[in-house]
């Protein structure tokens, strides 16, 4: 075994760790609110993601959503919007 295997490191993911508490983040910029808006009103999700930071808490640590993750959320929202539009204005079956 090498010394590097005994060290604990965070897995690489799409979030950046912050030195603030979760209570200091705006409630409308938290991950749970983003998920709710994505279910009920996708345009608000796009506005929130594109206009500022989105925060989440995992094991007591606050993280900030990075650009690559924001791009994935925007693409998912745009796909869902397109599917919804095609269902409304598409040919009737």
């Amino acid at each position: 075994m090498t010394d590097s295997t005994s060290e604990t490191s965070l897995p690489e993911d799409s979030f950046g760790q912050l030195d603030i508490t979760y209570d200091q983040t705006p409630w409308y910029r938290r991950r749970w609110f983003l998920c709710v808006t994505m279910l009920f009103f996708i345009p608000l999700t796009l506005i929130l993601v594109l206009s500022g930071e989105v925060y989440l808490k995992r094991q007591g640590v606050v993280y900030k959503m990075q650009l690559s993750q924001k791009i994935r959320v925007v693409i998912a929202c745009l796909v869902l919007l397109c599917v919804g539009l095609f269902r409304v204005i598409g040919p009737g079956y």
Side-chain angles (χ1 to χ4, degrees), residues 11-46:
E12 291 191 28
D13 56 16
S14 299
F15 302 101
Q17 186 174 351
L18 299 174
D19 291 330
I20 61 173
T21 64
Y22 201 55
D23 295 332
Q24 293 173 322
T25 60
W27 60 270
Y28 55 89
R29 294 264 177 212
R30 296 179 183 175
R31 178 174 52 177
W32 69 267
F33 189 73
L34 190 75
C35 293
V36 170
T37 60
M38 195 167 185
L39 287 173
F40 295 109
F41 193 62
I42 292 176
L44 180 58
T45 306
L46 289 171

Side-chain angles (χ1 to χ4, degrees), residues 27-87:
W27 60 270
Y28 55 89
R29 294 264 177 212
R30 296 179 183 175
R31 178 174 52 177
W32 69 267
F33 189 73
L34 190 75
C35 293
V36 170
T37 60
M38 195 167 185
L39 287 173
F40 295 109
F41 193 62
I42 292 176
L44 180 58
T45 306
L46 289 171
I47 290 169
L48 289 173
V49 169
L50 295 174
S51 67
E53 302 298 338
V54 176
Y55 303 98
L56 62 122
K57 184 170 87 170
R58 183 175 26 179
Q59 297 178 349
V61 180
V62 178
Y63 294 91
K64 174 178 74 169
M65 189 179 286
Q66 298 295 325
L67 181 61
S68 62
Q69 189 67 24
K70 286 183 175 185
I71 291 171
R72 291 180 191 149
V73 171
V74 168
I75 290 171
C77 288
L78 291 176
V79 167
L80 290 173
L81 276 175
C82 288
V83 167
L85 286 174
F86 286 131
R87 289 185 69 194

